Amino acid sequence: MAVSSSSPASLGPYTAWMFGPGRRYDFFSAERQEEPHYLTGIFERSAGHVSDPNPAPISGGGVTGDLLAPNLWQGLASPKFAPYVLKGPLVSDLTAATLGALWDNAAPAGVTLPGGAGLGPAGGGETRIGAGHPLKVSLVDPSASGAVSLSADPSIDPNKPLIVIGVIDDGIPFAHRAFDGPDGRTRVEACWMQGMAQDGSGRVRFGREVTGDDIMALRTTHGDDEDAIYRAAGALGGGGLSPSSLIGDLCHGAHTLGALAADSDVQVRIIAVDLPPNITWDTSGYGKEMFMLAGLHYIFDRADKLAAAHGTQTLPMVLSVSYGYSGGAHDGQATLEAAMDELMTARRALAPTAFVLPTGNSYLDATHAVAELAPGDAMTPLPWRIAADDRTSTFLEIWLPDGAEAGAFDLTLHGPGPAYGYPGGAIASLYGSDISGSGLISVDVPWRGSTIGQISADKTRSGKWRFLIAIAPTEAHDAPTAPAGLWHVSVKDNRASGDAVALRFWIQRDISYGRGNTGARQSYFDEPANVLFNTIGGVMETDTQNARVKRMGSMSGMATGSTSLTVAAAKGWGSGAETYSGASQPQDVAQVDISSEISANQGEIGRLSLAARSGGRVRMNGTSAAAPAVGAVLLAEIGTVAAGDETSNYLSTLQRANRVRPLQTGSADRLGAGIAE
C-alpha cells in the first residue's frame, strides 16, 4: 500500500481526505461546484500576528492567492489564531497535493501574512494551517473594510447595566418581535449572515450584515410580514444558495436565542452570527472552525462599536454557542478551543464575558471506547458498525496519550465479516515502521479496485498523536462506495517495555441535520459486551465493567477548553441527567460544570422556546437547549462578578447568588455542581 507524507505545517488528516480520495463526497458532492469556491480555514502562529484585515499575497507550489482575514477584533493586538479566506485559487482546482505544496513551499520563503508576519520560520515561528469548508466566491467581498457605525439607542437607561448577548447559531430570526424592547425597537443590534450573498456594503468580508437600523427600515417597508423581511434581507437562501433554517418553524437559532434572550428583564442588546446552512449540515465539525472563530471576532468587534455608541469602552457579555462535535483529544488543546480561550481571556481582561457550551448529546450513541494496551499486546478487534444508505463520510479518531509515539503501534482495519462479531480480512494497515518525524502519514483503504477510505497518523498541536480512519459513504452517486456492515479496528503495541497505555476512540457525530437532507447515518461501536438495556427494558445509563465502549467520556470535543462553562441537560421531573446528555470520564481535563432542566414533566419532550416566526412556540430537546438557559441565568448575575470568578467561568457568580440548586442524587459526574435556576 502506498504511503504518503507531508510536513507538520501543511495538511491535517481531514483535509487530506476531503481534498484527496474523499473529494467525490461530502461538501464537494453536496455543492456540486455549480459556481467557484474559495478555501477557508484557520492559521496558527507560535509568535502571533498583527490584526490587519488587508489582503496578503501568498504563493507556493504553483498556487498563488491572497489571504484575507475577516473582520478581526482589535481588542487582541496580536492573536495567535486567525481565520482566513484564501482568495485566488478555486477549491475545484485544489488537491491534497497542491495544498501541501502551497504551505510547504511558502513557509521557507517567509511569505507575508496579514499585518506583516511571515509564514514559517522566516516569520518568527512555526505556522499551522487548517483548511476547511469552501466558500462561494459570490459571498466574498475582498475589499470590505469592516466599518459600520451602530446607533445609540435612546431607550437605554444609562443608570442600569447594559449587557451584550452574543450568539452563534444557524437560523437567526432577527426580525422576531420577541426581541423587541418596550419601545418597539429591535434589541438585535447586528446580525452577520455568513452564508448569504454579500450586498457590496463593505461591512463584512463575506456574507451579509443587518444592523438594528436596517431591521427597523425593513419593517417600515414590509410591516409585520417577516417572510418578506427575510427575503428582502437575503436571509432565506435561494438563488443557488443553500436554504436557511429560517424557512421552517423549528429553527435551532430561534430556539436557542429565545431561551437566552426572549424572557429577559435585563437591559440587553443582541449581536448574532448566523452560520452558513451547509456548514451546520456537516455534523462531524469539519470546516466549522473558521466560521465560528470569525463569528467570535465579529461579536467582540460589534460589541465594542455598540459600547462606543453609548459612550463607554466595553460592555459585559454572555455568549452562547450551541454546537459541538464528538472527536478531538478532549484535552482543551484543539485548535478551535485554544483560539476561543485566547479570545475569551483577552476580553475578560476588559469586561466580564461568560461563555456557555453544551456537553453534547452522544451519551448513549456508543461512539466512544477505551482500550488498554501493554507492551507487546495486540488488541482484540473492536467491532464498528457502519450503516447502510449513509451518504456522508464516516470518521473514527484514535488518540494516544501524552508521550506515546505512533511509531510504536500498528493499526489495522478489517472489512465487514461474514458473521456477527467475526472480523473480516484485513484490508488496510498503517504500520509504525512507516511513521517518521511528526508529519502526516496516510495509506489508502482499497475495496474491489477502488479507494474507499484513508488511514492517517499525525502529531497534533498539543503533541499528542492521532490516528484517523476516514471511510467513504455506503451510498453515493457516481462514485465508489464503502460496504456497510460490521467492520473491526485493531491496534498492536510493538514496544518492548514500558507502562500500559490507554487508547481512546471517538467516532465523529454523523446525523442528518437541518434542511440539507445529507442522508447521514451514525456509525457506532457494536460490542457484544456492552449491555444496552437493564432488567426492566430501560436504557442502561452506566458503563459495563468489562466493555471497552464507554458512555462516560462522550462529552463534546469542543467543550473542554479552559474558558467555557459546560452545560448538561437534567430531567425536570425526577433525578439525574437526560439519557442523551454527554459526560466526561473522571480523569479527563474538563468536566461538566452545571446543568439545566429540559422538560418540566415526564409528558413533555424538550424545552419550550421560540419558533422562527413571531407568536410561535416549539419544543427542542438536547443540551443545545440547556446551555442558553444557563446563559439566561448568567445574564441576571453578570453584573455581580467578583474578582477571581473568571477562573470558574462564572459558576462561582451563580453559586454566590444562590442560582444553583444542589444535586440530590450524587450525579455530579453528569450534572456538575447543580441545576441553574
Side-chain angles (χ1 to χ4, degrees), residues 585-658:
Q585 289 190 313
Q587 69 271 24
D588 286 349
V589 170
Q591 303 292 319
V592 176
D593 291 316
I594 194 171
S595 53
S596 174
E597 291 179 345
I598 289 297
S599 305
N601 60 67
Q602 201 162 0
E604 297 173 352
I605 300 177
R607 181 184 293 276
L608 190 65
S609 186
L610 300 182
R613 298 296 182 273
S614 297
R617 306 279 280 184
V618 294
R619 291 188 180 277
M620 187 175 78
N621 230 348
T623 56
S624 288
V630 172
V633 180
L634 277 162
L635 279 176
E637 305 298 337
I638 197 71
T640 67
V641 169
D645 282 7
E646 290 86 358
T647 59
S648 71
N649 302 318
Y650 305 107
L651 176 58
S652 52
T653 299
L654 298 181
Q655 291 172 321
R656 188 172 57 252
N658 295 318

Side-chain angles (χ1 to χ4, degrees), residues 1-4 411 428-431 434 441-446 451 453-457:
M1 299 176 188
V3 178
S4 60
L411 172 62
S429 296
L430 180 56
Y431 298 104
D434 291 329
I441 308 295
S442 300
V443 297
D444 292 340
V445 177
T451 297
Q454 195 169 70
I455 303 175
S456 301

Side-chain angles (χ1 to χ4, degrees), residues 187-255:
R187 294 180 293 166
V188 179
E189 290 290 350
C191 178
W192 180 18
M193 299 174 287
Q194 292 182 330
M196 300 299 125
Q198 58 93 7
D199 57 3
S201 66
R203 296 174 179 174
V204 287
R205 191 47 66 72
F206 60 88
R208 182 182 298 196
E209 179 184 46
V210 291
T211 65
D213 289 341
D214 295 331
I215 295 168
M216 299 309 294
L218 287 164
R219 285 180 176 174
T220 299
T221 303
H222 301 286
D224 291 329
D225 188 343
E226 291 174 21
D227 287 319
I229 289 174
Y230 292 135
R231 280 195 297 270
L236 296 181
L241 297 174
S242 302
S244 167
S245 300
L246 284 172
I247 292 176
D249 289 330
L250 177 56
C251 175
H252 200 273
H255 194 284

Side-chain angles (χ1 to χ4, degrees), residues 250-588:
L250 177 56
C251 175
H252 200 273
H255 194 284
T256 59
L257 185 54
L260 184 59
D263 298 323
S264 176
D265 57 3
V266 181
Q267 188 167 241
V268 300
R269 290 300 180 268
I270 300 165
I271 301 174
V273 174
D274 192 344
L275 293 169
N278 51 354
I279 293 298
T280 63
W281 298 345
D282 185 349
T283 56
S284 73
Y286 178 78
K288 280 190 179 75
E289 290 93 339
M290 187 283 286
F291 295 93
M292 287 189 173
L293 183 56
L296 291 176
H297 276 277
Y298 169 84
I299 289 172
F300 288 1
D301 176 77
R302 293 314 191 243
D304 283 357
K305 288 179 169 57
L306 177 64
H310 289 277
T312 186
Q313 186 175 8
T314 189
L315 297 167
M317 178 184 295
V318 173
L319 178 68
S320 175
V321 181
S322 279
Y323 282 100
Y325 46 75
S326 304
H330 291 68
D331 61 359
Q333 296 301 309
T335 298
L336 181 59
E337 288 181 311
M340 293 190 301
D341 284 349
E342 179 186 47
L343 279 175
M344 296 302 153
T345 300
R347 195 176 196 280
R348 285 176 178 176
L350 304 174
T353 307
F355 180 32
V356 292
L357 285 174
T359 61
N361 306 325
S362 299
Y363 189 74
L364 295 180
D365 290 350
T367 55
H368 175 236
V370 179
E372 296 277 349
L373 279 181
D377 280 354
M379 180 182 138
T380 301
L382 181 64
W384 179 21
R385 179 74 65 179
I386 295 182
D389 303 321
D390 183 3
R391 301 203 302 268
T392 60
S393 295
T394 295
F395 302 104
L396 166 59
E397 294 184 4
I398 306 168
W399 285 83
L400 302 183
D402 285 331
E405 294 294 329
F409 298 88
D410 297 337
L411 172 62
T412 299
L413 179 65
H414 303 260
Y420 185 88
Y422 186 85
I427 60 173
S429 296
L430 180 56
Y431 298 104
S433 57
D434 291 329
I435 300 173
S436 61
S438 58
L440 179 72
I441 308 295
S442 300
V443 297
D444 292 340
V445 177
W447 186 261
R448 295 179 179 175
S450 298
T451 297
I452 51 85
Q454 195 169 70
I455 303 175
S456 301
D458 73 315
K459 196 170 188 178
T460 62
R461 63 177 305 279
S462 66
K464 287 184 179 179
W465 278 93
R466 164 183 59 182
F467 293 107
L468 175 73
I469 303 176
I471 300 296
T474 56
E475 179 182 333
H477 174 68
D478 195 28
T481 59
L486 193 65
W487 296 59
H488 286 76
V489 180
S490 61
V491 179
K492 184 178 184 300
D493 187 339
N494 295 318
R495 294 175 300 155
S497 62
D499 296 330
V501 296
L503 278 62
R504 299 189 66 176
F505 299 69
W506 279 284
I507 300 171
Q508 286 285 20
R509 192 170 180 231
D510 192 23
I511 63 171
S512 194
Y513 173 85
R515 305 195 174 277
N517 190 26
T518 61
R521 298 192 66 192
Q522 184 69 58
S523 70
Y524 58 95
F525 295 121
D526 193 359
E527 186 182 29
N530 179 36
V531 178
L532 300 177
F533 301 99
N534 59 31
T535 55
I536 60 173
V539 295
M540 183 65 75
E541 294 188 54
T542 56
D543 288 333
T544 308
Q545 184 174 359
N546 297 320
R548 289 170 292 181
V549 175
K550 304 294 182 185
R551 295 158 183 79
M552 300 301 293
S554 58
M555 193 162 79
S556 166
M558 195 177 106
T560 65
S562 64
T563 58
S564 59
L565 194 72
T566 56
V567 182
K571 295 175 182 176
W573 64 88
S575 60
E578 292 278 5
T579 56
Y580 53 77
S581 186
S584 292
Q585 289 190 313
Q587 69 271 24
D588 286 349

Side-chain angles (χ1 to χ4, degrees), residues 149-213:
S149 59
L150 300 181
S151 302
D153 185 346
S155 69
I156 288 179
D157 185 346
N159 297 313
K160 295 181 179 179
L162 175 60
I163 300 169
V164 175
I165 290 176
V167 65
I168 300 177
D169 218 298
D170 70 286
I172 300 293
F174 55 80
H176 205 293
R177 290 290 184 173
F179 305 130
D180 286 1
D183 61 348
R185 178 180 168 83
T186 181
R187 294 180 293 166
V188 179
E189 290 290 350
C191 178
W192 180 18
M193 299 174 287
Q194 292 182 330
M196 300 299 125
Q198 58 93 7
D199 57 3
S201 66
R203 296 174 179 174
V204 287
R205 191 47 66 72
F206 60 88
R208 182 182 298 196
E209 179 184 46
V210 291
T211 65
D213 289 341

